[in-house]
Amino acid sequence: MKKKNLIGLGIVAPVALGISGLTAASAKLYDYAFRRVDYVPETSADKQKYADDYYNYVNWFHSVSSEQWTLHPSDLENRVEATFIHAANEQAKTTVVIAHGYKGNGETMSNYAKMFYDMGYNVLLPDDRAHGNSSGDYINFGWIDRLDFVEWTHSVINNVGEDSKIIMFGVSMGGATIQMTSGENLPPQVKLMISDCGYSDLRSELAYLLKQQFHLSPTIFVPIIDAINHHRMGFSIDDVSSVKQLRKNTRPFLFIHGEKDVYVPTYMVDECFEACPEPKDIWIVPNASHAESFWMDPKAYQAKVQQFINKYLS
């Protein structure tokens, strides 16, 4: 975030704030980061050059035949929506469940959906809580979403069949969501998991962004933001840890990360990789920024993903 955006939030230097001022500033930061927005923010400048290709994928997403699936349909506060795209081969039993990024939705993963569709798989694209067509006022950064993704795997089994094979895939916040889902009690139909540029834990990610983009002290602001989140969402940001969840993972896991990621720094994938038991693999994409690995070379990206799938999807 640029300095002008910080000024736009009405936040001044911490030394000029009293206790009440720090609390008010932290609340503004919390709302900026956690409160839902009903639009997809503009992508970063380094990925604007891929805009035409992106919208071609979005057009495909809207043209292909799909179904709408729902979790908790009668619970307005916990209703979660997803788009299911059946493979061209109606007998296909492998489904990829795709987790989107921060302030995105299922549609924003159209490029990955088409990649897996072209590989012959069914695709399920949920809208996380506080995103897209799903309910919720505050973004939970994958912590509550991970439990929804466990439910989505059971929805796949119920709709596609007990002989389903399920792959879980996510990018950015979605990558962290899949990493955190890996530590849950998943059905045996879930065969492998892939995460692209997911963070290691929310406290570290918030601290990094506060320092690098806001030029604010994490030591001052993160504890107050945590208290606000605990009051509004019922959990601590310290609970939101890919590293802790990955230690419990029992499935083959592929980690992908851009070498020049300055939004989720590359050292975070090293922490996640170290925490994850074997079998596992890691691919650091040269010169790629955050969530750019696919766009730099879609064919190479698909080949790497297909190679991992072929190795472990038996």
Side-chain angles (χ1 to χ4, degrees):
M1 176 174 296
K2 296 180 181 178
K3 188 175 181 181
K4 63 180 182 180
N5 291 332
L6 180 61
I7 294 171
L9 286 172
I11 299 171
V12 297
V15 293
L17 298 172
I19 297 298
S20 60
L22 283 172
T23 302
S26 299
K28 288 185 178 181
L29 286 167
Y30 181 86
D31 280 347
Y32 180 84
F34 286 74
R35 187 180 289 277
R36 80 174 291 152
V37 293
D38 289 315
Y39 63 90
V40 176
E42 190 175 87
T43 189
S44 56
D46 62 306
K47 291 192 281 297
Q48 290 288 344
K49 57 183 175 287
Y50 306 118
D52 289 344
D53 291 336
Y54 169 75
Y55 284 109
N56 286 334
Y57 286 113
V58 171
N59 290 337
W60 169 85
F61 175 83
H62 288 291
S63 67
V64 71
S65 178
S66 63
E67 304 171 7
Q68 291 304 119
W69 291 8
T70 307
L71 296 179
H72 323 128
S74 300
D75 186 347
L76 294 180
E77 293 185 0
N78 294 287
R79 184 184 177 99
V80 187
E81 302 282 349
T83 301
F84 178 78
I85 301 172
H86 211 299
N89 175 8
E90 295 186 359
Q91 303 305 311
K93 290 295 184 180
T94 300
T95 301
V96 184
V97 184
I98 298 178
H100 64 73
Y102 176 66
K103 294 186 178 178
N105 55 40
E107 178 190 284
T108 62
M109 305 299 281
S110 296
N111 55 312
Y112 303 102
K114 189 173 189 302
M115 179 186 76
F116 287 115
Y117 179 87
D118 289 344
M119 291 161 70
Y121 306 137
N122 308 313
V123 180
L124 182 67
L125 300 122
D127 288 350
D128 286 353
R129 292 170 185 247
H131 294 80
N133 293 320
S134 294
S135 65
D137 295 324
Y138 294 99
I139 298 167
N140 66 82
F141 288 88
W143 185 240
I144 299 173
D145 297 319
R146 84 193 194 285
L147 302 178
D148 292 329
F149 273 79
V150 174
E151 289 194 61
W152 285 126
T153 65
H154 290 286
S155 294
V156 169
I157 294 165
N158 291 337
N159 285 276
V160 179
E162 289 289 332
D163 54 347
S164 289
K165 295 179 180 180
I166 299 172
I167 298 166
M168 307 198 79
F169 172 89
V171 178
S172 190
M173 187 183 77
T177 301
I178 296 307
Q179 290 171 171
M180 288 186 278
T181 304
S182 74
E184 298 303 314
N185 183 20
L186 291 161
Q189 287 87 346
V190 178
K191 301 301 182 182
L192 58 92
M193 314 188 92
I194 304 169
S195 169
D196 186 337
C197 62
Y199 41 81
S200 54
D201 64 86
L202 184 54
R203 176 176 284 271
S204 298
E205 179 66 9
L206 288 177
Y208 172 82
L209 293 176
L210 279 169
K211 185 175 181 180
Q212 296 296 120
Q213 298 188 8
F214 283 88
H215 308 294
L216 293 174
S217 169
T219 304
I220 294 173
F221 285 98
V222 170
I224 306 174
I225 291 171
D226 183 32
I228 294 169
N229 186 71
H230 199 281
H231 175 72
R232 295 187 185 179
M233 298 284 283
F235 62 85
S236 168
I237 62 172
D238 291 319
D239 295 332
V240 188
S241 172
S242 293
V243 168
K244 291 177 183 177
Q245 289 290 100
L246 282 164
R247 289 181 182 135
K248 299 182 285 183
N249 174 52
T250 60
R251 290 165 174 80
F253 210 116
L254 171 62
F255 297 89
I256 302 171
H257 214 98
E259 178 191 30
K260 295 185 176 180
D261 194 332
V262 296
Y263 189 74
V264 176
T266 308
Y267 69 78
M268 287 193 175
V269 74
D270 295 329
E271 295 173 346
C272 291
F273 184 76
E274 183 178 352
C276 184
E278 296 281 358
K280 58 186 176 181
D281 197 3
I282 187 170
W283 182 33
I284 305 299
V285 181
N287 299 313
S289 64
H290 184 67
E292 191 186 16
S293 297
F294 171 91
W295 297 106
M296 290 189 70
D297 192 338
K299 290 183 179 179
Y301 192 97
Q302 179 173 330
K304 183 67 176 182
V305 168
Q306 186 73 76
Q307 179 185 42
F308 186 77
I309 293 172
N310 289 347
K311 185 174 182 179
Y312 292 109
L313 190 70
S314 59

